[in-house]
Amino acid sequence: MSNPLDAPASGPTQQDVFAARRRIAGTARRTPLVLAEQLSLELGGNVHLKLESLQPTGSFKVRGAANRLLALSGEERERGVVAVSTGNHGRAVAHVARLLGVRATVCISTGVPANKVAALRATGAEIVIFGASQDEAEVKAQELRAERGLTLVHPFDDALVIAGQGTIGLELLEDLPEIDTVLVPLSGGGLVSGVAVALKAANAAVRVVAVSAEAAPVMVRSIEAGRPLQLPEEGTLADSLRGGIGLDNRLTFRLVRELVDEHVTVSEDEIAEALRFLLLREQLVAEGAAAVGVAALLSGRVKACGATAVVVSGRNIDMTALLELTRESST
Ligand SMILES: *Cc1c(COP(=O)(O)O)cnc(C)c1O
């Protein structure tokens, strides 16, 4: 819990992102940025996809998890870590913990899909299923942290985690130096904050567009309200975008407010259409949360002007469900 008398917590700087890049180099992958040929034809511009779907564990979350765990003290490593997760963060933490020989406990809600629970179990982490929402699972994690002296690895509201995700921004600058617009999925805001810190330090004019699912709009509503809100969770194809931002949010609420130029939300139908487009036209597997940027472009909610990059944040989707979707029409 933050003490209101504390100075406001500060987010990571560009230097922290450079430090993260050195730290995580052996653990997270430098992912390719590819020209999306079909999407570019469709929209009449040059749209590039940053394929975080190719990371070990299937999402960008391995960047932040690696940066956080590699910064643990010897004593903290001894005691172990605990994470709360809709799946991808927990899996990334468990994966990096195993590489480092650190014990990991992951708390998840009953809303996490079976394919993700199975992948988590396979990492050897201890799984604790508790509560119907991410917020309830977090209460459990806090309890375990206190009881067992574990270090809580937050999925987004942590300067080291944000700096780890920010390494995506450094790679975008190298691969597309003329970048004008980047579309980034938004839930808790660790991803878009990190990317924006890295990009804006190099070029303040880069337009950062955050894309949320209509069914998971907590950060957008919070920004509108001027303070962190709590909303009931809804089901969405973009299951990795579920979860609140924390009423005591320390970093990402402020970073998103300061650094994001534009917010858009996309509907379930638009996400489904983007998943179909990615699979059938670009021949790429993505999960719902990772398809929201493409959904924003295909639906015309965001115009691709100039050199545009879309962060395709992960691939952890139930393949049967994805194939089912592709049989359902359009594209
Ligand atoms: C966690 C996650 C996001 C959202 O990241 P935040 O830092 O919470 O905004 C987007 N896509 C995927 C695949 C994720 O796992």
Side-chain angles (χ1 to χ4, degrees):
M1 257 344 108
S2 57
N3 178 340
L5 297 178
D6 286 348
S10 62
T13 62
Q14 186 189 32
Q15 288 315 308
D16 297 323
V17 182
F18 282 123
R21 159 124 92 180
R22 287 189 296 275
R23 216 181 266 128
I24 72 174
T27 312
R29 176 168 180 201
R30 189 192 192 295
T31 56
L33 181 74
V34 299
L35 178 69
E37 294 184 31
Q38 298 301 316
L39 191 59
S40 298
L41 276 176
E42 189 88 13
L43 301 171
N46 272 346
V47 181
H48 303 260
L49 305 177
K50 179 66 171 163
L51 297 182
E52 288 301 297
S53 45
L54 300 180
Q55 285 291 358
T57 75
S59 84
F60 74 89
K61 292 277 196 333
V62 72
R63 295 180 187 257
N67 197 41
R68 184 68 187 82
L69 266 64
L70 285 163
L72 290 172
S73 69
E75 198 189 321
E76 288 168 332
R77 283 192 189 203
E78 284 286 303
R79 286 206 288 254
V81 296
V82 59
V84 191
S85 177
T86 53
N88 286 342
H89 171 65
R91 189 165 161 193
V93 168
H95 170 80
V96 177
R98 186 163 65 169
L99 294 178
L100 298 178
V102 171
R103 273 185 61 86
T105 305
V106 182
C107 299
I108 57 178
S109 76
T110 53
V112 175
N115 65 312
K116 291 193 173 179
V117 180
L120 255 181
R121 286 209 194 283
T123 63
E126 182 186 342
I127 315 296
V128 177
I129 300 179
F130 186 87
S133 72
Q134 180 87 337
D135 290 331
E136 289 177 49
E138 178 162 354
V139 173
K140 187 71 184 174
Q142 291 289 1
E143 234 175 76
L144 292 174
R145 180 183 66 88
E147 271 169 27
R148 304 186 191 169
L150 306 176
T151 299
L152 183 77
V153 182
H154 200 281
F156 54 84
D157 205 18
D158 177 302
L160 284 161
V161 170
I162 297 168
Q165 325 304 26
T167 57
I168 293 170
L170 299 181
E171 295 172 16
L172 285 172
L173 283 167
E174 286 165 0
D175 292 347
L176 192 66
E178 72 276 27
I179 187 167
D180 291 302
T181 300
V182 62
L183 290 92
V184 186
L186 169 62
S187 172
L191 175 60
V192 75
S193 296
V195 169
V197 165
L199 286 177
K200 299 234 171 189
N203 175 5
V206 176
R207 174 175 160 236
V208 176
V209 181
V211 189
S212 304
E214 267 172 30
V218 184
M219 182 63 90
V220 189
R221 295 287 107 81
S222 298
I223 299 286
E224 286 165 3
R227 69 192 157 83
L229 301 178
Q230 201 164 22
L231 300 178
E233 264 187 32
E234 291 177 44
T236 167
L237 271 174
D239 54 87
S240 293
L241 300 184
R242 291 173 57 150
I245 66 166
L247 289 176
D248 56 347
N249 187 289
R250 293 165 54 247
L251 301 173
T252 56
F253 173 71
R254 187 174 53 77
L255 288 167
V256 168
R257 190 164 57 177
E258 283 170 13
L259 298 173
V260 169
D261 298 291
E262 218 176 300
H263 284 277
V264 291
T265 57
V266 291
S267 70
E268 293 299 302
D269 283 347
E270 288 162 352
I271 296 169
E273 186 56 31
L275 284 170
R276 279 193 282 270
F277 192 96
L278 283 168
L279 187 69
L280 300 177
R281 304 280 300 276
E282 299 291 349
Q283 296 169 311
L284 290 171
V285 171
E287 60 175 278
V292 296
V294 169
L297 290 170
L298 276 177
S299 63
R301 290 179 189 270
V302 174
K303 296 269 168 293
C305 41
T308 300
V310 181
V311 177
V312 177
S313 49
R315 66 159 186 267
N316 294 321
I317 189 166
D318 183 305
M319 284 308 288
T320 314
L322 178 60
L323 293 173
E324 202 66 43
L325 259 184
T326 61
R327 276 196 288 272
E328 278 170 20
S329 79
S330 339
T331 303

